[in-house]
Amino acid sequence: KQEVTQIPAALSVPEGENLVLNCSFTDSAIYNLQWFRQDPGKGLTSLLLIQSSQREQTSGRLNASLDKSSGRSTLYIAASQPGDSATYLCAVSYGNKLVFGAGTILRVKS
Amino acid sequence: EPEVTQTPSHQVTQMGQEVILRCVPISNHLYFYWYRQILGQKVEFLVSFYNNEISEKSEIFDDQFSVERPDGSNFTLKIRSTKLEDSAMYFCASSAWTSLGNEQFFGPGTRLTVL
């Protein structure tokens, strides 16, 4: 069964800290992996897409890595800000569908 | 910037009634999807649609569900006879397969409440 797990479930950090969110998946036959941000009661905003052939992808203060063989991805957020507070979702693409993790709830304190 | 839109933002219905959720995907995208998120749970895949037919569906997507692209811009999800357990946030997404991958873009969602 294709499952995606995210650790930690919740994280609270002071403003300015660098942090790492973890994602693991059971089926390594992936097309790509997306990281999303979800604000309470809102839709999903795509942050980064990393293709199965890539090791890493960067956008601004965000850096995502992918180790397909071990079934892991990390999202690194540099110099966190209160506006980064949200739920971060990892989603693995198996062709036509995305399989989501439960998310990491991030709170950045000012 | 192009975005996926969904209407209505909130739908309240009685059990057993039919509902139609509407989506306008990004205009040059050819792949369309529906997902749902029951309160406090993971986002779950329902169905994908390409070239006017379903390309993949999950176990959740049973005979009570159907999808349609009635014209060049809209993509709809119909639930024929709603159940209490259909209450959830329903997200539409669209994508374009390119050399950069298949990045899916999501709409803001429709919150369906079945009473």
Side-chain angles (χ1 to χ4, degrees), chain A residues 1-95:
Chain A
K1 188 180 176 184
Q2 295 160 339
E3 291 189 352
V4 178
T5 303
Q6 291 188 245
I7 294 172
L11 185 61
S12 182
V13 300
E15 182 177 5
E17 268 204 11
N18 302 324
L19 56 101
V20 175
L21 309 181
N22 297 288
C23 172
S24 61
F25 45 94
T26 55
D27 182 350
S28 61
I30 72 172
Y31 279 79
N32 53 44
L33 185 146
Q34 271 184 267
W35 282 94
F36 292 89
R37 169 187 173 132
Q38 184 175 31
D39 292 285
K42 304 289 186 183
L44 283 63
T45 301
S46 180
L47 298 173
L48 285 166
L49 175 134
I50 183 164
Q51 296 184 67
S52 61
S53 58
Q54 294 178 309
R55 298 285 292 184
E56 119 178 21
Q57 189 68 259
T58 298
S59 175
R61 293 183 293 109
L62 306 179
N63 176 278
S65 70
L66 174 64
D67 185 341
K68 186 179 163 183
S69 60
S70 69
R72 295 175 195 271
S73 176
T74 61
L75 180 66
Y76 174 83
I77 302 177
S80 58
Q81 303 170 357
D84 294 332
S85 298
T87 298
Y88 289 80
L89 300 175
C90 170
V92 179
S93 170
Y94 294 103

Side-chain angles (χ1 to χ4, degrees), chain B residues 54-69:
Chain B
I54 291 173
S55 44
E56 187 169 351
K57 60 183 181 179
S58 71
E59 292 175 354
I60 304 167
F61 194 89
D62 61 21
D63 292 344
Q64 293 299 311
F65 292 88
S66 62
V67 289
E68 192 178 35
R69 186 153 165 83

Side-chain angles (χ1 to χ4, degrees), chain A residues 4-5 31-32 34 36 38 41-44 46-49 51 89 93-102, chain B residues 31 33 35 37 42-45 48 55-56 89 91 97-109 111:
Chain A
V4 178
T5 303
Y31 279 79
N32 53 44
Q34 271 184 267
F36 292 89
Q38 184 175 31
K42 304 289 186 183
L44 283 63
S46 180
L47 298 173
L48 285 166
L49 175 134
Q51 296 184 67
L89 300 175
S93 170
Y94 294 103
N96 292 312
K97 68 180 181 184
L98 291 175
V99 177
F100 282 82
Chain B
Y31 298 82
Y33 314 85
Y35 293 81
Q37 185 176 32
K42 293 182 179 183
V43 177
E44 301 173 288
F45 168 79
S48 60
S55 44
E56 187 169 351
M89 182 76 96
F91 294 108
W97 279 95
T98 70
S99 59
L100 300 177
N102 182 34
E103 186 172 8
Q104 294 190 23
F105 295 89
F106 281 67
R111 181 169 298 285

